[in-house]
Amino acid sequence: MHNSPTQTPVVKVDLHVHSRFSKRASQWVLQKIGCPESFTEPLQIYEIAREKGMDMVTITDHNTISGALEIAHLPGTFISEEVTSYFPEDRCKIHILGYNISEKQHKDIQKARENIFDLAAYLRKEGIIHSVAHPLYSINDRLSLSHFEKLLLLFSNFEINGARDALQSHCLQTAISQLTPQTMDQLANLHGIELYGADSWKKYLTGGSDDHSGLNIGRTHTEIFSPPETVSALQALSAGASRIISHPSSPLTLAHNLYGIAYQFYRSKFKLERYTERDILMRFLDHSLRHRTENAPGIISRIYFYWNYRKPSRPETELPRNLVEMIRRETRNLIHDNPDMLQTDRAPEAPFDAAEKKWFRFVNQISSNVANGFASHLFGHLSGANVFDIFHTIGSAGGLYTLLAPYFVSFSHFTRDRTLIQEIRTRFCNHTSPGNLESDSHIRVAHFTDTFYEVNGVARTLHQQVELALKIQKNLTIVTCDSEDRPDSKGVKNFKPVGIHELPEYPEQKIFYPPILEMLAYCYEQNFTHLHSATPGPIGLAALAIARILKLPIEGTYHTSLPQYARYLTGDSAVEDLTWKYILWYYSQMDTVYVPSRSTGDELVEKGIPREKIRLMQRGIDISLFHPSRRNGFWKLHYDIADSGIKLLYVGRVSKEKNLHILSEAFKQLLRERSDIHLIVVGDGPYLKEMTAKLKGTPVTFTGCLSGETLASAYASADIFVFPSTTDTFGNVVLEAQASGIPVIVTDQGGPQENLLDSITGIVVKGDDTDSLFQTIQYLLDHPDTRKQMGLAARKYMADRSFEDAFLKTWKMYAPVVEPLPVAMAVNA
C-alpha cells in the first residue's frame, strides 16, 4: 500500500506496538485470568524491532508513555502513545496515535482526550503528528458511518492496522483515495464541522502492527521517504511521503497473539522458564508463543529433552483426571509423531503466517483428540450409569471450551464490523472494491448435515440440491463429516471427524464428532451469509456455534422425529422425554425452523417452539425421471417376478421404526386369501435380517438400495406403494411413487399423509394397525379400476411438484442480507 512511491524508502518504523504498560485487557479471555493486554518488555520490543529491520522504534501504549520512556535513551526512538478518546454525544470510543510527544504534552493530552473535538484541536495546535488507529474497528460497538464521516473531517492521517484483516485495509484505502473537495464540503455541511486545511480531502496512511505479544512486530510497518531523523521522518509521514508494507492478519493471527499474551503472563507469574527444557508441553509453548531472543538451550538440556520425548509411550487406556494432563499426553504423542512441530518458523524466508498456522494445527489436533476422549468417555459412562464420572467428564469438557476461547473470540472480532464496512463501501467507494453490490447471487449458504452419505430420502434430496445449485449457479455448499476418505467435490465439503460413536441399538447409525475449529475457519474463509442445519446432532451443534461466533443467521430443518425414534430404539419413554427437551432447546436457537409438513409444525408449536419461527419447507422431485412411461416390465426382466401378479412396493430404510413388522403381518394375512401378490422391499437397514427371516418362504423380494433410472423403473413397474411408517416427517418416496403413476397407502400419523389426496391418489390408513393396512391393501387388490384411476390422478397431482421449482421457492425464503465481503486471506492451515 503506497502513499507516494516516488522515492527510495529510507526509514522503516512500526508505528503501533504495545508493551507491558498497556495493562487493561480488552479481550474477556485475558480479563478472566487477570492478564494485562500485553506482556512484552519495552527493551524486548526494541530488540525485536531492530532484528526485524526497523530503523526507528516507538511504543504506543494505551494512555501512557511509560513504556516509551524506558527505551527513550536508545538510538532511533521517540515517545508515542495510543490515546483513547470519545465522541461526546454517545461516548463512541476512538483511538488516536500521537507521535514524538513530550511528557508535558502527554499530560495535556490526558486532560483533552475525554472529547475527541478537544483532542483534535490540541493535537493540531501543538503540531503533533497523529493518526486514527484502526478507524474501521468499533472498539465499544458504537462506531457508525456517521462517526467515520466526522473522523474524515477531524483528521488527516489514518492507520492501516496490522491486527485487522485486508478487507478493512482495502476499504479504508479505497474510501480515502476517492474523497473530493465536493465530498468534504457535503460532509462539513451535514455534520456542522468546519473543514481543516486547504486540502482537507487529502488523507494519508500510516502503518503499524498493533502488536501485543512480541510475535508480530514489523509485520505491518511504514517506510518513510526521508533521512533517518525523527522530526524529518514524521514531517515526511504527515505529507504522505511514505508507503505501507502490510501482511494482513486473520483470526488465526489474533488468536495466536492472545495465546501468546496469556502464556507470557503465566510464564512470568509462575516462573515457568525452569520447565521449558524438561517438559514437552512447556517446550512447545515456549517455542510457539514467545519471541525467543536468548541463546539456544545447552547440550545437556537438549539431550534430556529429546531423550524423554522420543521414548515410546506406554499404552494409555485410562482418561486422565486432569485436562492439563490430557493436553500434555496428546502433545507428547503429537510431537513424537511429528518432530517438525519443534522446528522454528521465524527464519527470514518463512511466511509471516507460518507460526500462527502451525499453532492452529496444534490446537486443532490436540483439542480434537481431547474432545474425542471426553465424548467416548461420556458415552461409556452413560451406558454404565456412572453418574460421578459423567459430571467429571462434562466439567473437563467445559475447560476445553475455555482453552479454545481465543479462537472463538478472534473469529467473532473479525466479523463484527462487516455491516459498517459495507456501508462505507456503499457511501465512498463507488462500487470499485471487491464484490459487486448489484449482484443478484450474493447469498452463500452452508448446509450442515450428518446424513449426506447415507441411503435415505433426506440424503437423496441433498444430493439433488447440490446438483441443481451447480446447474443454476446458486452458492450452496454441503458441510458434512464422514469416516470414509472421500475427496471434496463441487458443492460438498467433507471433514474428517475427530471421533466416531456407534449406537449399540443401531449399529449402522454413527455419530460423528466434527472438527469445530476447522469448520469455523472454513466458514469464515468461504464468507457464507447463511448457515442451515439439517441435524440437531454434533454437526448441527457445530453449525449453531459457528453461526453465533460469526454472527450469521441460522435456519434449521426438522427432518426426523428423533424423540419417536428414541422411543422405538430404546422402548423407554423417559429417553423420549429427554430427547424432546434437547430437540426443543436446539430448534429454539434457530432463526427459522423449516418443517416438512403442517402436522410436524403443529407438533413443534404444541411442544413450545414459537409459531412465528415455523416455515413449511418446499419439497419436490424429478418429475421427468419418476414417470409412468418407465413401466417396462422391470421386475420380470431383472428379478423374474411374473408380470401377471400384483406387486406391492416399499421403498425406504429397512428399520423397525418404519413399522415394517406391521407390513409383514398384513402381507402374510393377504397370502392366506390369495396367491397373486408379491411384496418387494427396496432399501437396506438394521431390520433387514429379521424381516427376511419373518417372511421366509413367502413371495417377497429384497433388492437392496436402488437409485436413478433403475429406481424410477422399479416404481413405475409396481402396482401399489405401501408406506406404513408413523415416524416420518415427510416421506419423499410417497411423492416419487405418485409421480410414477401408482396409488399409495400411508398412515394417519406423520407427514406423508399430507403428500396425497385421500381416496383420490391413495388412501390414508390408521397408524400402527395391522387390520387397517390389511383391509386397505385388499380393497385395492379387489378393485383394479380404482387402482388405475388413482394412478392417473396421482401423476396429475404431481405434475407441478418439480424439484427445481421447490428449490427456488426455498432459496427465496433466505432473508436478504448485505452482500458478503471478500476475505483476503485463507485461514485453513
Side-chain angles (χ1 to χ4, degrees):
M1 299 178 184
H2 304 263
N3 282 342
S4 176
T6 58
Q7 306 174 49
T8 303
V10 175
V11 179
K12 296 180 181 180
V13 57
D14 186 339
L15 289 168
H16 193 162
V17 183
H18 292 271
S19 79
R20 65 181 176 87
F21 290 95
S22 289
K23 294 185 180 299
R24 188 179 182 280
S26 58
Q27 307 293 347
W28 71 263
V29 288
L30 298 180
Q31 295 172 1
K32 192 77 173 176
I33 61 175
C35 178
E37 188 168 76
S38 175
F39 210 77
T40 316
E41 292 291 341
L43 182 58
Q44 188 182 22
I45 290 173
Y46 184 84
E47 293 172 347
I48 296 172
R50 288 298 202 184
E51 178 187 309
K52 295 293 182 70
M54 300 297 106
D55 301 296
M56 299 171 66
V57 181
T58 193
I59 294 175
T60 54
D61 286 316
H62 289 294
N63 304 310
T64 180
I65 57 174
S66 297
L69 286 173
E70 280 203 5
I71 61 170
H73 62 286
L74 298 173
T77 63
F78 54 95
I79 298 172
S80 307
E81 70 177 312
E82 184 174 10
V83 183
T84 302
S85 190
Y86 304 87
F87 279 98
E89 63 270 23
D90 57 7
R91 300 291 288 173
C92 174
K93 190 181 291 188
I94 302 293
H95 287 173
I96 305 297
L97 297 160
Y99 299 115
N100 197 30
I101 61 176
S102 67
E103 292 184 65
K104 179 183 182 304
Q105 287 173 327
H106 160 67
K107 292 177 181 178
D108 292 340
I109 285 171
Q110 295 309 301
K111 296 175 183 177
R113 72 182 181 89
E114 281 299 307
N115 186 315
I116 196 167
F117 296 97
D118 295 340
L119 177 63
Y122 176 80
L123 295 173
R124 291 172 187 167
K125 172 177 166 292
E126 290 292 304
I128 296 172
I129 307 302
H130 56 281
S131 181
V132 182
H134 40 71
L136 304 187
Y137 173 66
S138 181
I139 303 166
N140 60 348
D141 295 320
R142 296 182 183 181
L143 186 66
S144 67
L145 176 61
S146 176
H147 293 119
F148 178 71
E149 292 173 343
K150 293 174 185 177
L151 292 175
L152 292 175
L153 293 166
L154 291 171
F155 300 99
S156 298
N157 297 321
F158 292 81
E159 182 195 39
I160 297 297
N161 186 277
R164 312 259 63 85
D165 62 2
L167 176 63
Q168 283 197 19
S169 300
H170 185 280
C171 180
L172 174 65
Q173 186 183 30
T174 305
I176 66 175
S177 69
Q178 296 190 8
L179 293 176
T180 65
Q182 293 76 19
T183 303
M184 296 303 292
D185 286 338
Q186 291 171 0
L187 293 179
N189 292 331
L190 175 64
H191 296 290
I193 300 175
E194 185 177 349
L195 292 174
Y196 177 76
D199 298 332
S200 61
W201 71 91
K202 292 183 179 179
K203 307 297 178 184
Y204 302 112
L205 298 173
T206 64
S209 64
D210 200 359
D211 178 82
H212 290 72
S213 64
L215 297 172
N216 289 287
I217 294 173
R219 177 169 175 156
T220 292
H221 64 272
T222 307
E223 292 185 344
I224 307 173
F225 309 118
S226 164
E229 190 273 321
T230 301
V231 175
S232 298
L234 291 178
Q235 287 176 343
L237 177 71
S238 66
S242 62
R243 70 178 179 182
I244 312 304
I245 305 300
S246 182
H247 299 271
S249 293
S250 74
L252 302 194
T253 317
L254 176 57
H256 189 218
N257 282 333
L258 293 176
Y259 283 108
I261 295 166
Y263 170 71
Q264 292 165 32
F265 169 68
Y266 279 122
R267 186 179 190 270
S268 174
K269 183 176 181 178
F270 298 110
K271 303 186 185 314
L272 299 179
E273 64 273 8
R274 54 188 164 165
Y275 302 110
T276 54
E277 302 309 328
R278 297 193 172 196
D279 183 275
I280 294 173
L281 175 60
M282 295 307 303
R283 173 69 180 272
F284 182 76
L285 294 178
D286 205 63
H287 167 83
S288 302
L289 300 177
R290 194 170 65 89
H291 189 95
R292 303 178 67 171
T293 56
E294 68 268 24
N295 293 330
I299 186 66
I300 300 299
S301 294
R302 282 185 285 173
I303 291 174
Y304 181 94
F305 174 78
Y306 282 107
W307 172 260
N308 278 275
Y309 110 80
R310 288 184 180 277
K311 284 194 301 184
S313 57
R314 289 172 296 179
E316 297 164 301
T317 57
E318 290 296 319
L319 184 76
R321 304 286 301 181
N322 185 285
L323 176 61
V324 174
E325 288 303 316
M326 285 198 72
I327 294 172
R328 179 175 282 112
R329 185 183 81 177
E330 294 300 334
T331 302
R332 181 172 65 247
N333 293 338
L334 178 60
I335 294 177
H336 186 274
D337 295 337
N338 303 275
D340 64 309
M341 294 290 289
L342 287 173
Q343 294 178 3
T344 180
D345 294 312
R346 298 197 177 96
E349 66 277 5
F352 274 88
D353 59 355
E356 65 204 41
K357 286 189 173 183
K358 176 179 284 189
W359 179 251
F360 177 83
R361 290 197 302 271
F362 168 76
V363 174
N364 178 58
Q365 189 159 344
I366 293 297
S367 62
S368 295
N369 292 346
V370 171
N372 184 26
F374 282 150
S376 299
H377 204 60
L378 179 61
F379 276 116
H381 287 306
L382 282 173
S383 60
N386 191 331
V387 177
F388 294 104
D389 273 339
I390 289 173
F391 287 125
H392 161 68
T393 303
I394 293 174
S396 298
L400 182 62
Y401 168 82
T402 303
L403 176 68
L404 297 178
Y407 279 110
F408 301 152
V409 168
S410 299
F411 278 97
S412 179
H413 267 68
F414 268 74
T415 54
R416 62 186 292 183
D417 296 314
R418 291 299 172 89
T419 301
L420 172 62
I421 295 172
Q422 183 67 76
E423 292 174 352
I424 292 172
R425 292 175 67 214
T426 304
R427 174 70 175 85
F428 293 103
C429 297
N430 296 327
H431 303 221
T432 60
S433 49
N436 181 4
L437 288 173
E438 298 177 356
S439 170
D440 62 355
S441 59
H442 62 276
I443 293 175
R444 299 174 63 87
V445 179
H447 195 120
F448 286 72
T449 179
D450 52 11
T451 63
F452 188 71
Y453 296 110
E454 292 185 13
V455 181
N456 56 42
V458 173
R460 281 196 289 143
T461 298
L462 292 174
H463 279 273
Q464 290 175 295
Q465 287 181 348
V466 170
E467 294 171 5
L468 182 58
L470 290 171
K471 176 183 175 183
I472 62 178
Q473 298 182 326
K474 299 297 182 184
N475 291 311
L476 171 68
T477 302
I478 297 295
V479 178
T480 189
C481 271
D482 189 69
S483 55
E484 299 292 329
D485 186 17
R486 305 179 192 269
D488 291 339
S489 57
K490 286 186 176 181
V492 180
K493 177 63 178 178
N494 180 44
F495 288 91
K496 183 178 179 180
V498 302
I500 304 171
H501 179 74
E502 296 184 1
L503 298 173
E505 304 86 353
Y506 215 160
E508 289 81 5
Q509 185 71 50
K510 297 179 176 64
I511 295 176
F512 297 118
Y513 313 146
I516 186 169
L517 277 188
E518 290 181 46
M519 286 183 165
L520 175 60
Y522 175 78
C523 289
Y524 172 82
E525 179 187 344
Q526 295 300 310
N527 213 9
F528 292 116
T529 62
H530 293 76
L531 301 188
H532 193 119
S533 173
T535 170
I539 295 174
L541 286 172
L544 177 59
I546 292 168
R548 293 291 180 261
I549 293 168
L550 299 183
K551 300 175 177 62
L552 294 174
I554 180 168
E555 289 86 17
T557 302
Y558 185 66
H559 281 296
T560 307
S561 297
L562 288 177
Q564 290 89 328
Y565 270 52
R567 186 184 69 245
Y568 267 103
L569 293 174
T570 65
D572 189 339
S573 59
V575 173
E576 180 184 13
D577 292 340
L578 184 63
T579 306
W580 263 122
K581 289 180 180 179
Y582 170 71
I583 289 294
L584 295 174
W585 171 83
Y586 182 79
Y587 284 100
S588 68
Q589 307 303 309
M590 302 292 110
D591 297 305
T592 304
V593 180
Y594 292 98
V595 294
S597 63
R598 286 183 294 275
S599 62
T600 302
D602 291 341
E603 182 180 35
L604 291 180
V605 170
E606 182 182 347
K607 293 288 186 179
I609 300 294
R611 185 172 291 278
E612 57 269 20
K613 284 191 175 188
I614 304 293
R615 299 286 186 279
L616 187 62
M617 182 171 50
Q618 304 294 321
R619 295 285 286 266
I621 61 169
D622 187 341
I623 56 177
S624 61
L625 174 64
F626 298 102
H627 195 276
S629 63
R630 296 188 181 273
R631 189 175 182 91
N632 54 16
F634 171 84
W635 297 111
K636 173 64 176 176
L637 181 64
H638 295 281
Y639 292 90
D640 198 28
I641 300 174
D643 286 335
S644 58
I646 301 174
K647 291 167 282 295
L648 308 179
L649 177 67
Y650 167 85
V651 177
R653 186 170 180 80
V654 183
S655 52
K656 187 177 180 180
E657 73 277 1
K658 299 293 185 180
N659 273 349
L660 293 180
H661 61 288
I662 289 179
L663 175 58
S664 299
E665 289 302 321
F667 180 60
K668 287 195 289 187
Q669 284 188 38
L670 290 167
L671 289 175
R672 297 188 191 108
E673 300 186 12
R674 55 197 311 152
S675 60
D676 60 342
I677 55 175
H678 196 107
L679 176 62
I680 301 166
V681 178
V682 176
D684 201 352
Y687 187 64
L688 179 60
K689 184 176 181 180
E690 184 177 343
M691 188 176 182
T692 302
K694 181 172 288 191
L695 294 178
K696 184 177 181 180
T698 67
V700 60
T701 298
F702 296 94
T703 70
C705 297
L706 303 178
S707 60
E709 294 187 359
T710 301
L711 177 60
S713 296
Y715 274 121
S717 300
D719 299 294
I720 302 171
F721 183 77
V722 187
F723 197 68
S725 172
T726 58
T727 60
D728 275 70
T729 57
F730 187 78
N732 219 53
V733 290
V734 176
L735 299 184
E736 293 170 349
Q738 290 177 96
S740 301
I742 60 174
V744 297
I745 300 174
V746 303
T747 73
D748 60 359
Q749 298 179 38
Q753 61 181 309
E754 297 176 24
N755 288 329
L756 78 160
L757 301 176
D758 191 18
S759 301
I760 298 176
T761 68
I763 300 176
V764 178
V765 302
K766 187 177 181 180
D768 297 318
D769 191 310
T770 303
D771 288 338
S772 178
L773 183 61
F774 161 73
Q775 292 170 10
T776 301
I777 297 175
Q778 188 177 54
Y779 170 78
L780 289 180
L781 292 174
D782 292 338
H783 296 83
D785 290 340
T786 300
R787 292 202 309 270
K788 182 177 180 180
Q789 291 302 317
M790 282 187 171
L792 293 172
R795 175 60 198 181
K796 184 177 180 181
Y797 172 59
M798 292 302 302
D800 60 350
R801 297 289 294 269
S802 76
F803 186 83
E804 184 167 340
D805 286 346
F807 178 83
L808 289 173
K809 288 177 182 177
T810 299
W811 192 264
K812 290 177 181 178
M813 294 174 74
Y814 287 112
V817 293
V818 295
E819 189 201 3
L821 299 166
V823 177
M825 289 187 65
V827 296
N828 277 343

